[in-house]
Amino acid sequence: MRLILAPMEGVMDHIMRDLLTRIGGYDRCVTEFVRVSREKLPPRVFYRACPELRHGGKTPAGTPVYVQLLGGIPDCMARNAQVLENLKPQGIDLNFGCPSKVVNNSDGGSILLREPQRVHDIVKAVRTAVSTHIPVTAKIRLGFDDGSLFEDIVLGVEAAGATELCIHARTKQHGYKPPAYWSEIGKVKPKLRIPVIANGEIWSAENALQAQADSGCQDLMLGRSALSFPDLARVIKAQHHGETYTPMTWDEILPIVLEYAHSFEERAPVRASGYIKQWFTYLYRQYPEAESTFQQIKSMKLPSEIRAHIGKNA
Ligand SMILES: Cc1cc2nc3c(=O)[nH]c(=O)nc-3n(C[C@H](O)[C@H](O)[C@H](O)COP(=O)(O)O)c2cc1C
């Protein structure tokens, strides 16, 4: 089985990818989306989304990072994929799942699921534009309004030459509301030859087993749970291999949070406290201890103040 760290705009940047892949258990990451419009983006846009491109496209722990593109016009996507190809990415992922109104209004993300032909054309254009050794993957939901076009979409993605397909088992209308409908993936999986990755609502090792059973997929993608449970990938892998693994305690997590807080002091001091607090809101799903620390740091503005406070407990 493989575990993929989900793309998450505004949270899963290269620092978080570094921290989580160092903890381990992940086989691949995907960057936050890079929005493609009509013009050819300069390389610096791709380097910003994926600083790992300067290091062979891998995190310091050696985990490959695919760069995600989002856009609705096949030849613009293809032209930008060629710019990206020159930077030697480990792979290119195409976003057809983003539910954001702003993104959907600008003709990108999940709105494209209303048009299976366009999804096909985008995948095909990118696949044709870049060398065959570069994997081109797609990430979709079950549909936009409902799942009526789901089978057309997945068959189109495969016919267009995608290397792999990741399916977030909800429609755009479902948003992020539980449950995720893993068995919907299971209905189309036997019709596909490319590897399929199941995604959505996998918060525990038990959920991972159930998602595999319902979807028929070996490979899974973890999103929010990777933030709330930083070593969940290791727990799931240990379960898969029948090994014993003791999950990290809050005391072991705290120094990692501290490292995250520290990384912001130089690179983004203004936004830092927001990002640190944001991670806490995820962490307290798994660690009740995170909630009391969050209450204490909630009104703090300076990252150094937050770091000093966390540091006292670490
Ligand atoms: C804050 C946030 C940002 C996200 N950004 C992206 C993105 O940039 N690209 C993408 O394909 N999916 C994005 N997603 C969707 C996730 O990759 C994933 O499909 C979704 O969260 C379901 O998985 P989960 O239940 O494991 O979190 C985002 C989700 C969240 C919550």
Side-chain angles (χ1 to χ4, degrees), residues 296-314:
Q296 291 151 8
I297 63 168
K298 190 161 82 173
S299 57
M300 296 180 184
K301 298 247 166 4
L302 294 173
S304 54
E305 195 186 355
I306 298 177
R307 193 159 69 90
H309 184 82
I310 303 172
K312 275 195 294 200
N313 304 304

Side-chain angles (χ1 to χ4, degrees), residues 6-9 33 68 95 139 168 176 199-201 223-224:
M8 288 179 71
E9 208 236 332
F33 65 78
Q68 188 180 67
N95 178 322
K139 182 163 178 283
H168 176 186
Y176 290 98
N199 167 237
E201 278 328 290
R224 293 160 300 163

Side-chain angles (χ1 to χ4, degrees), residues 140-162:
I140 64 168
R141 287 179 173 245
L142 300 178
F144 189 85
D145 304 298
D146 56 40
S148 55
L149 299 174
F150 182 44
E151 190 170 320
D152 290 348
I153 297 164
V154 298
L155 294 178
V157 166
E158 179 170 82

Side-chain angles (χ1 to χ4, degrees), residues 2 150-151 154-155 158 165 167 182-198 211-219:
R2 293 174 306 161
F150 182 44
E151 190 170 320
V154 298
L155 294 178
E158 179 170 82
L165 171 63
I167 305 174
W182 302 316
S183 53
E184 293 302 310
I185 302 177
K187 290 181 191 162
V188 298
K189 173 80 176 41
K191 300 182 181 170
L192 295 169
R193 295 182 20 200
I194 55 173
V196 180
I197 300 150
Q212 284 180 313
D214 292 356
S215 67
C217 299
Q218 275 295 302
D219 302 332

Side-chain angles (χ1 to χ4, degrees), residues 11-308:
V11 227
M12 203 57 82
D13 62 0
H14 70 290
I15 301 288
M16 191 59 94
R17 291 194 290 272
D18 172 25
L19 294 174
L20 295 177
T21 57
R22 256 193 283 145
I23 293 173
Y26 289 103
D27 298 278
R28 183 199 302 163
C29 309
V30 184
T31 67
E32 302 161 87
F33 65 78
V34 173
R35 198 173 325 176
V36 168
S37 48
R38 291 193 180 273
E39 76 272 21
K40 224 159 140 178
L41 294 167
R44 74 179 139 76
V45 174
F46 298 105
Y47 282 126
R48 200 187 309 134
C50 186
E52 294 95 335
L53 287 169
R54 298 190 190 279
H55 306 281
K58 295 184 177 176
T59 67
T63 312
V65 184
Y66 286 12
V67 180
Q68 188 180 67
L69 303 182
L70 177 149
I73 307 170
D75 62 303
C76 297
M77 292 287 273
R79 272 192 293 133
N80 279 286
Q82 283 169 337
V83 177
L84 178 55
E85 175 175 15
N86 290 331
L87 313 180
K88 301 193 169 35
Q90 290 286 326
I92 300 177
D93 185 57
L94 305 174
N95 178 322
F96 300 107
C98 184
S100 143
K101 270 211 177 77
V102 181
V103 163
N104 285 184
N105 287 344
S106 66
D107 200 29
S110 60
I111 192 114
L112 299 172
L113 299 173
R114 283 178 161 166
E115 298 175 63
Q117 184 62 44
R118 199 131 69 99
V119 173
H120 166 277
D121 293 350
I122 291 169
V123 175
K124 178 131 194 181
V126 172
R127 178 63 288 170
T128 312
V130 300
S131 317
T132 49
H133 72 272
I134 298 183
V136 173
T137 57
K139 182 163 178 283
I140 64 168
R141 287 179 173 245
L142 300 178
F144 189 85
D145 304 298
D146 56 40
S148 55
L149 299 174
F150 182 44
E151 190 170 320
D152 290 348
I153 297 164
V154 298
L155 294 178
V157 166
E158 179 170 82
T163 317
E164 295 184 7
L165 171 63
C166 174
I167 305 174
H168 176 186
R170 278 185 275 239
T171 62
K172 142 76 169 76
Q173 295 307 342
H174 293 139
Y176 290 98
K177 202 165 150 246
Y181 301 89
W182 302 316
S183 53
E184 293 302 310
I185 302 177
K187 290 181 191 162
V188 298
K189 173 80 176 41
K191 300 182 181 170
L192 295 169
R193 295 182 20 200
I194 55 173
V196 180
I197 300 150
N199 167 237
E201 278 328 290
I202 300 165
W203 297 98
S204 64
E206 295 73 33
N207 290 162
L209 272 185
Q210 196 61 52
Q212 284 180 313
D214 292 356
S215 67
C217 299
Q218 275 295 302
D219 302 332
L220 305 173
M221 175 180 274
L222 307 179
R224 293 160 300 163
S225 58
L227 296 169
S228 62
F229 193 164
D231 61 343
L232 176 58
R234 292 193 63 184
V235 175
I236 295 173
K237 286 272 174 83
Q239 167 181 265
H240 180 74
H241 296 296
E243 293 163 2
T244 311
Y245 174 80
T246 309
M248 293 166 83
T249 61
W250 180 240
D251 287 348
E252 289 168 307
I253 297 289
L254 261 183
I256 298 169
V257 178
L258 206 53
E259 191 180 337
Y260 181 67
H262 185 57
S263 77
F264 273 108
E265 268 169 55
E266 281 164 21
R267 67 184 177 121
V270 181
R271 290 175 300 139
S273 38
Y275 278 100
I276 301 162
K277 290 174 199 169
Q278 173 175 257
W279 195 10
F280 268 90
T281 63
Y282 283 102
L283 283 166
Y284 61 68
R285 181 173 179 127
Q286 182 68 17
Y287 298 95
E289 301 93 324
E291 181 152 15
S292 58
T293 313
F294 178 71
Q295 293 307 331
Q296 291 151 8
I297 63 168
K298 190 161 82 173
S299 57
M300 296 180 184
K301 298 247 166 4
L302 294 173
S304 54
E305 195 186 355
I306 298 177
R307 193 159 69 90

